[in-house]
Amino acid sequence: MPEPRTIADALGDAVARRAAITRFTADAELDVETAYDAQWLGIQDRLAAGEQLSGLKLGLTSRAKQVTMGVDDPLYGWLTSGMLLDAADPLPLDRWIHPRVEPEIAFVMGAELTGPASIADVLAATAGVTAALEVIDSRYADFSFRLPDVVADNASAAGYVVGPRLRPVAELEDLRLLGCVLRRDGEVVHTAAGAAVMGHPAAAVAWLAGRLAASGRSIPAGAIVLSGALTDAVPLAPGATVTAELEGLGTIEVRA
Ligand code: OOG
Ligand code: MG
């Protein structure tokens, strides 16, 4: 099994050179816990380079994503200050290898959340929810990976854009029924509702709190938590415009 340091270095190098690598599981054993160790080393490298932690992300929490990516389990990764993007600017395509964008419901935590946690615990600790578009960019050739590979690769995290409105959950109707429409160049490409994410988007955040507790961590107050794509991602081709409209949370539009 490759060492976490070796894995983190190979992935860091792939980012720096914008060159995809072959997944580790193609010719080696890699367990999920070792992969999370490698992920954490990669995050430490970003912090050492001057970034700050800004939050966490869930991945593969919807059936649509699991089926497309061929991985049946959710996972998590970390968001850093360098990943925050402004929808007013064209997306920095020159940073990435083969970026895709996907619509998400983001939770902004008003209080620290330590697992195990229920949906009610998550909602009580949430300052508000907002729309987000996440840019993912696998460091693996053809976005081809197994669970340990994508864990080590920080859940393909590359960037995120936050929507125009932060709404307290008490102001919204049932998050399970919150509608989402994704358009590319004005044409509807995917639609979903909040329940696409583990039956309830807060269930994904509860899963995260439980998973972090197993390694003695928690979700910090102030963190933004992307609960996972509601629909499949769309490739970000140069010149494309992608728009996500989330019921009650407004519209985000990005230009590549
Ligand atoms: C893994 C990351 C998935 C999500 O929201 O499901 C993810 C990938 O698809 O490359 O961020
Ligand atoms: Mg995502």
Side-chain angles (χ1 to χ4, degrees):
M1 186 147 52
E3 291 294 320
R5 186 67 264 168
T6 311
I7 296 171
D9 285 346
L11 289 165
D13 208 51
V15 172
R17 294 190 298 113
R18 291 183 61 206
I21 59 176
T22 304
R23 64 184 163 90
F24 297 96
T25 55
D27 54 16
E29 294 281 309
L30 180 59
D31 62 50
V32 170
E33 288 318 308
T34 304
Y36 273 111
D37 290 345
Q39 179 195 99
W40 186 244
L41 287 179
I43 294 299
Q44 296 308 308
D45 293 342
R46 281 179 170 265
L47 301 185
E51 294 188 49
Q52 284 95 47
L53 287 179
S54 52
L56 287 132
K57 60 161 290 182
L58 280 300
L60 309 180
T61 51
S62 65
R63 209 49 207 138
K65 287 284 306 188
Q66 291 181 349
V67 168
T68 301
M69 306 320 292
V71 175
D72 284 339
D73 305 280
L75 74 159
Y76 73 87
W78 297 88
L79 300 175
T80 61
S81 48
M83 297 176 191
L84 181 61
L85 302 166
D86 190 338
D89 304 325
L91 293 175
L93 288 189
D94 59 356
R95 277 194 209 167
W96 303 313
I97 303 167
H98 42 198
R100 300 177 180 177
V101 64
E102 54 190 28
E104 310 213 4
I105 296 172
F107 289 70
V108 176
M109 306 311 294
E112 182 185 11
L113 183 66
T114 306
S118 65
I119 288 176
D121 296 333
V122 171
L123 297 178
T126 299
V129 294
T130 184
L133 271 174
E134 187 188 20
V135 179
I136 53 170
D137 188 35
S138 179
R139 269 57 68 169
Y140 301 111
D142 304 320
F143 262 84
S144 166
F145 47 68
R146 304 286 180 266
L147 180 64
D149 304 296
V150 64
V151 164
D153 190 23
N154 196 30
S156 309
Y160 66 101
V161 180
V162 178
R165 307 175 67 184
L166 181 71
R167 302 280 307 272
V169 279
E171 277 182 15
L172 294 164
E173 302 286 328
D174 194 339
L175 291 184
R176 293 173 298 184
L177 301 180
L178 191 150
C180 168
V181 178
L182 190 71
R183 292 188 176 81
R184 181 174 43 206
D185 300 329
E187 302 243 344
V188 175
V189 281
H190 297 301
T191 59
V197 169
M198 293 175 85
H200 191 306
V205 183
W207 177 89
L208 171 65
R211 194 67 184 70
L212 288 174
S215 51
R217 296 196 178 100
S218 59
I219 307 178
I224 182 160
V225 181
L226 303 183
S227 59
L230 295 151
T231 72
D232 269 323
V234 298
L236 261 182
T241 297
V242 178
T243 314
E245 199 176 339
L246 279 89
E247 190 177 7
L249 302 179
T251 299
I252 312 177
E253 181 161 286
V254 292
R255 273 174 303 123

